[in-house]
Amino acid sequence: MRVLIVEDEPAIRQTMLRVFEREGYFVDEAEDGPGGLSLAVAGGHDVVILDVLLPGLDGFQVCKAIRAAGVTTPVLMLTALSDVDDRVTGLDSGADDYLGKPFAFKELLARVRALARRPAGDSTEPKLKYDDLEVDLLRRSARRGTRRIELTTTEFKLLEYMALNATHVLSRSKILDEVWGFDYDGESNVVDTYVHYLRRKIDAGEDRQLIRTVRGYGYALGGA
Ligand code: CA
């Protein structure tokens, strides 16, 4: 496996380099848009990890130019600007996936593995399925049967985490760490609040309730 990392911040680039090399990847690196573009077009990568804010050419421009050159290598965009507009611009410019900064390296590795498994040019998207629930990891949306479910960013992260661990009972504190981050110090009932939101969207009006409360402990998607 060979990844190309295009990131202008030396500390982040070096950390990613070490993480990927430790996982057995070969790594190429570039510190600006034009450098990244020429390496990506030269080819031979399984995944390109592309920062959005870069000197020279930004990540959107680089991605468009890579696609215009006929290169179909999967592109994962990284950005601190984690709003919906940026995500849409990224996907429109030909990126395959999107990760907002700051990110957990575990998640970065998981997404790179998922992208590397997809044959070039394959439009089938990574999806998690449980019962008639389908979670679309690229579009950050969900369906139950034919019913399409729109989710906010946090609702999506929560559902993604629960679907990745379907049938496992997850404690409130584990959910809080995984979805909101270890340094979260907001309201303590935020997990219950968001599970409630999710339930309204996923389970309301359905015969089978997929989100399960484990009293005094936490929640599970399915199981039991
Ligand atoms: Ca940057």
Tab-separated table of all heavy atoms in Angstrom, residues 45 47 60 64 66 106 108 115 136 162 201 204 208 214:
chain	number	residue	atom	x	y	z
A	45	HIS	N	-0.332	5.517	-6.234
A	45	HIS	CA	-0.835	5.562	-4.861
A	45	HIS	C	-2.170	4.830	-4.739
A	45	HIS	O	-2.961	4.841	-5.665
A	45	HIS	CB	-0.997	7.017	-4.395
A	45	HIS	CG	0.272	7.801	-4.500
A	45	HIS	ND1	0.490	8.721	-5.503
A	45	HIS	CD2	1.396	7.756	-3.770
A	45	HIS	CE1	1.701	9.229	-5.365
A	45	HIS	NE2	2.277	8.653	-4.323
A	47	VAL	N	-4.182	5.617	-2.066
A	47	VAL	CA	-5.044	6.677	-1.539
A	47	VAL	C	-4.229	7.972	-1.484
A	47	VAL	O	-3.031	7.941	-1.185
A	47	VAL	CB	-5.553	6.352	-0.108
A	47	VAL	CG1	-6.372	7.504	0.457
A	47	VAL	CG2	-6.381	5.067	-0.085
A	60	PHE	N	-9.122	21.672	-3.035
A	60	PHE	CA	-10.193	21.521	-4.035
A	60	PHE	C	-9.617	21.617	-5.448
A	60	PHE	O	-9.963	20.835	-6.335
A	60	PHE	CB	-11.279	22.591	-3.861
A	60	PHE	CG	-11.918	22.601	-2.494
A	60	PHE	CD1	-12.075	23.797	-1.803
A	60	PHE	CD2	-12.379	21.434	-1.909
A	60	PHE	CE1	-12.669	23.812	-0.552
A	60	PHE	CE2	-12.968	21.441	-0.652
A	60	PHE	CZ	-13.115	22.636	0.026
A	64	LYS	N	-9.541	18.645	-8.258
A	64	LYS	CA	-10.105	18.827	-9.608
A	64	LYS	C	-9.066	18.524	-10.680
A	64	LYS	O	-9.361	17.878	-11.687
A	64	LYS	CB	-10.598	20.269	-9.787
A	64	LYS	CG	-12.030	20.451	-9.351
A	64	LYS	CD	-12.547	21.804	-9.816
A	64	LYS	CE	-13.890	22.085	-9.171
A	64	LYS	NZ	-14.089	23.473	-8.818
A	66	ILE	N	-6.381	16.682	-10.419
A	66	ILE	CA	-6.059	15.243	-10.437
A	66	ILE	C	-7.091	14.506	-11.286
A	66	ILE	O	-6.752	13.692	-12.145
A	66	ILE	CB	-6.066	14.657	-8.993
A	66	ILE	CG1	-4.892	15.202	-8.175
A	66	ILE	CG2	-6.012	13.137	-9.029
A	66	ILE	CD1	-4.949	14.799	-6.689
A	106	LYS	N	-7.015	6.832	14.458
A	106	LYS	CA	-7.726	5.568	14.276
A	106	LYS	C	-8.772	5.717	13.161
A	106	LYS	O	-8.936	4.832	12.321
A	106	LYS	CB	-8.419	5.219	15.601
A	106	LYS	CG	-8.603	3.757	15.850
A	106	LYS	CD	-9.001	3.512	17.303
A	106	LYS	CE	-10.347	4.126	17.645
A	106	LYS	NZ	-10.804	3.848	19.011
A	108	LEU	N	-8.747	8.073	10.769
A	108	LEU	CA	-8.043	8.308	9.505
A	108	LEU	C	-7.615	6.977	8.884
A	108	LEU	O	-7.849	6.722	7.693
A	108	LEU	CB	-6.823	9.210	9.747
A	108	LEU	CG	-5.935	9.476	8.523
A	108	LEU	CD1	-6.694	10.265	7.454
A	108	LEU	CD2	-4.672	10.234	8.918
A	115	LEU	N	-11.082	3.187	1.735
A	115	LEU	CA	-10.897	3.729	0.386
A	115	LEU	C	-9.973	2.835	-0.440
A	115	LEU	O	-10.199	2.633	-1.626
A	115	LEU	CB	-10.311	5.143	0.442
A	115	LEU	CG	-11.266	6.241	0.870
A	115	LEU	CD1	-10.517	7.554	1.043
A	115	LEU	CD2	-12.395	6.421	-0.144
A	136	ASP	N	-24.897	5.435	5.143
A	136	ASP	CA	-24.021	5.747	4.012
A	136	ASP	C	-22.863	6.616	4.521
A	136	ASP	O	-23.050	7.780	4.861
A	136	ASP	CB	-24.849	6.481	2.954
A	136	ASP	CG	-24.047	6.733	1.690
A	136	ASP	OD1	-22.824	6.966	1.784
A	136	ASP	OD2	-24.653	6.694	0.609
A	162	MET	N	-22.610	3.789	16.527
A	162	MET	CA	-23.485	2.702	16.974
A	162	MET	C	-23.588	1.610	15.917
A	162	MET	O	-23.611	0.424	16.241
A	162	MET	CB	-24.866	3.250	17.333
A	162	MET	CG	-24.838	4.162	18.553
A	162	MET	SD	-26.468	4.791	19.003
A	162	MET	CE	-27.148	3.374	19.890
A	201	LYS	N	-35.738	10.046	14.537
A	201	LYS	CA	-35.525	9.944	13.094
A	201	LYS	C	-35.467	8.490	12.615
A	201	LYS	O	-35.926	8.172	11.530
A	201	LYS	CB	-34.227	10.656	12.701
A	201	LYS	CG	-34.317	12.157	12.927
A	201	LYS	CD	-33.109	12.877	12.371
A	201	LYS	CE	-33.300	14.394	12.505
A	201	LYS	NZ	-32.175	15.129	11.929
A	204	ALA	N	-39.059	6.278	14.985
A	204	ALA	CA	-40.452	6.749	15.095
A	204	ALA	C	-41.272	6.225	13.928
A	204	ALA	O	-40.857	6.318	12.774
A	204	ALA	CB	-40.486	8.268	15.142
A	208	ARG	N	-40.263	-2.099	14.046
A	208	ARG	CA	-39.123	-2.593	14.828
A	208	ARG	C	-38.291	-1.404	15.305
A	208	ARG	O	-37.852	-0.590	14.505
A	208	ARG	CB	-38.252	-3.522	13.985
A	208	ARG	CG	-38.914	-4.862	13.700
A	208	ARG	CD	-37.972	-5.819	12.998
A	208	ARG	NE	-37.354	-5.251	11.801
A	208	ARG	CZ	-37.981	-5.045	10.650
A	208	ARG	NH1	-39.269	-5.343	10.537
A	208	ARG	NH2	-37.344	-4.552	9.619
A	214	VAL	N	-30.241	0.475	27.504
A	214	VAL	CA	-29.868	-0.466	28.557
A	214	VAL	C	-29.844	0.352	29.848
A	214	VAL	O	-28.928	1.162	30.059
A	214	VAL	CB	-28.509	-1.129	28.279
A	214	VAL	CG1	-28.156	-2.101	29.399
A	214	VAL	CG2	-28.555	-1.849	26.933
